[in-house]
Amino acid sequence: GSIDHAALRRLIDWHVDQGSSGLVICGTTGECPTLNHEEHIHVIREAVKRVQGRIPVIAGAGSNSTEEAVFLSRCSEEAGADALLHVTGYYNKPTQSQIIEHFRVLDRAVKLPIIVYNIPSRTGQELSVDTISALAQLEHIVGVKDSTGNVARVTMERLRVRKPFSFLSGDDATCLGYVAHGGHGC
């Protein structure tokens, strides 16, 4: 099909060779919006095969439909992904309580670690510090990728989250400030 397998292999090998600590496959800023479900899962499966356990593969499996997000999560888990990245409900503009319920369903549906993606410029809805704190209480929610541009948020979130949790900047331009405020990386 439309997947450039040689390019995928080169990209994966480059990240491993450069010392990347993980690889997001089918993230929303990359290829996933243009892939159908079959292609989406195929890319994840091929990435897992190529990585061969050298670094974790984090599969983008988010959707504004909870049912579709569960489907993509389960397929990613079956494909061998090590973790999941889930954007909040774009376009629908869910309330904070609806976002929490969406993630509760995902948390019960799979056993993989889940990283929540807070990107209000794309979803139309920012996750509040209270919501991040509530999500962190779920068993499989292990981190947040923050693309809010507010580097001080991580300090407030770290004060509220009481378990080991990864705080990651989703923007290269804010990474240094985000880490200075207590974040773990980008």
Side-chain angles (χ1 to χ4, degrees):
S2 61
I3 299 166
D4 184 342
H5 288 85
L8 179 62
R9 289 190 297 272
R10 284 192 305 273
L11 175 69
I12 290 167
D13 291 342
W14 183 86
H15 275 282
V16 171
D17 293 343
Q18 295 302 309
S20 294
S21 56
L23 185 63
V24 174
I25 298 294
C26 294
T28 50
T29 319
E31 64 285 336
C32 101
T34 63
L35 300 176
N36 64 39
H37 288 158
E38 184 179 315
E39 292 170 325
H40 188 115
I41 301 310
H42 177 74
V43 169
I44 293 167
R45 191 176 296 114
E46 290 301 309
V48 167
K49 238 189 290 188
R50 184 66 180 193
V51 165
Q52 298 175 343
R54 297 177 288 172
I55 58 175
V57 172
I58 304 162
S63 173
N64 61 341
S65 160
T66 303
E67 184 178 319
E68 182 179 34
V70 167
F71 170 77
L72 291 172
S73 296
R74 288 179 174 157
C75 289
S76 298
E77 190 170 45
E78 290 170 16
D82 298 295
L84 302 168
L85 178 64
H86 271 282
V87 68
T88 59
Y90 48 88
Y91 188 76
N92 298 355
K93 296 184 183 177
T95 65
Q96 299 296 301
S97 62
Q98 289 169 330
I99 291 168
I100 292 168
E101 185 55 31
H102 172 82
F103 280 99
R104 276 192 185 118
V105 170
L106 291 171
D107 188 69
R108 289 189 302 262
V110 294
K111 300 295 182 227
L112 290 178
I114 299 170
I115 300 167
V116 176
Y117 192 6
N118 190 8
I119 183 166
S121 66
R122 299 286 187 247
T123 62
Q125 186 71 334
E126 183 171 333
L127 298 178
S128 71
V129 172
D130 288 340
T131 297
I132 295 293
S133 176
L135 293 176
Q137 294 174 35
L138 298 173
E139 180 181 0
H140 298 105
I141 306 293
V142 299
V144 61
K145 178 181 177 186
D146 186 301
S147 292
T148 64
N150 179 356
V151 297
R153 278 182 59 101
V154 68
T155 302
M156 295 179 287
E157 291 168 352
R158 286 185 62 133
L159 290 171
R160 300 282 306 279
V161 175
R162 299 289 180 208
K163 72 177 192 182
F165 204 74
S166 292
F167 295 93
L168 304 169
S169 171
D171 297 313
D172 293 342
T174 62
C175 181
L176 181 59
Y178 189 83
V179 170
H181 280 273
H184 298 117
C186 184

